[in-house]
Amino acid sequence: MLNKTIQDALNEQINKEFYSSYLYLSMAAWAESKNLPGFAHWLKLQQKEENGHAMKFYKYINERGGNVELGAIKQPPSEFESPTKLFQDVLNHERYVSESINTIYEKALEEKDYPTQVMLHWFIDEQVEEEASASEILDTLKMAGEKGPALLMLDRQLGRRGQQG
Ligand code: MG
């Protein structure tokens, strides 16, 4: 059985993952409106991953005999100023999610909930990747700038996400 503290934290995390999904979908819509189909493609794949994260927590709570409780998903922003600002927001958001997962991990240590610790290892690894990829794209934007050919090339590159490897 899951204890209440851990179950509540996992349910909150489901909400954060669905919010992430919603945020990235909103970002994708913004990118489409700015004629950046590659950015939109990358963000829509990200959106699907976030749904997958939420469902992993959902499955885990059920497997442990707990109760999934879904809360309201808050409204994401719909304006992002620029591609650089958008990716700064992605990176900040992923850092926030990493902290949230680390906090659940600390609770699982306190509660001596070993299965939750093991389950969270996957997410801890995943967050390292999420932060690294957001940070890499942000660095490219900062170096190459947002105008003309550089942005077009980055848009093409992001449009190939999911095609390599
Ligand atoms: Mg996530």
Side-chain angles (χ1 to χ4, degrees):
M1 261 310 266
L2 270 178
N3 90 20
K4 178 91 170 72
T5 311
I6 301 294
Q7 178 175 296
D8 288 350
L10 294 174
N11 273 316
E12 268 176 45
Q13 192 61 34
I14 289 182
N15 191 270
K16 287 174 186 170
E17 300 293 347
F18 276 126
Y19 175 76
S20 303
S21 168
Y22 224 34
L23 173 65
Y24 295 142
L25 188 61
S26 186
M27 287 175 165
W30 182 86
E32 306 219 28
S33 78
K34 302 295 173 198
N35 287 315
L36 294 167
F39 279 77
H41 170 78
W42 191 97
L43 288 158
K44 280 189 277 185
L45 285 185
Q46 195 62 29
Q47 183 253 327
K48 280 192 193 148
E49 276 197 10
E50 299 305 340
N51 261 316
H53 295 168
M55 293 311 291
K56 266 182 196 279
F57 285 109
Y58 169 103
K59 183 165 176 262
Y60 178 76
I61 292 173
N62 283 320
E63 275 173 354
R64 294 287 308 279
N67 295 312
V68 168
E69 280 168 26
L70 300 177
I73 303 167
K74 75 177 182 202
Q75 183 177 4
S78 54
E79 270 303 321
F80 299 96
E81 285 177 40
S82 69
T84 307
K85 176 67 172 53
L86 182 147
F87 265 97
Q88 184 65 63
D89 289 353
V90 171
L91 180 58
N92 292 345
H93 185 69
E94 288 304 330
R95 284 176 176 158
Y96 160 77
V97 170
S98 301
E99 263 178 47
S100 172
I101 285 167
N102 292 344
T103 303
I104 305 173
Y105 194 81
E106 280 164 29
K107 284 183 183 155
L109 289 173
E110 279 166 25
E111 301 291 337
K112 297 188 166 45
D113 181 341
Y114 302 110
T116 297
Q117 290 169 33
V118 171
M119 182 274 292
L120 288 173
H121 287 163
W122 185 89
F123 281 96
I124 292 167
D125 277 348
E126 177 71 7
Q127 285 311 117
V128 172
E129 269 182 49
E130 299 282 28
E131 287 188 34
S133 57
S135 177
E136 192 188 320
I137 296 164
L138 181 61
D139 286 348
T140 307
L141 279 162
K142 283 180 177 168
M143 274 187 298
E146 297 192 315
K147 298 265 179 281
L151 187 62
L152 195 66
M153 270 176 64
L154 181 59
D155 189 63
R156 291 227 177 107
Q157 188 195 320
L158 295 179
R160 288 194 293 270
R161 178 180 179 183
Q163 286 170 19
Q164 321 92 312

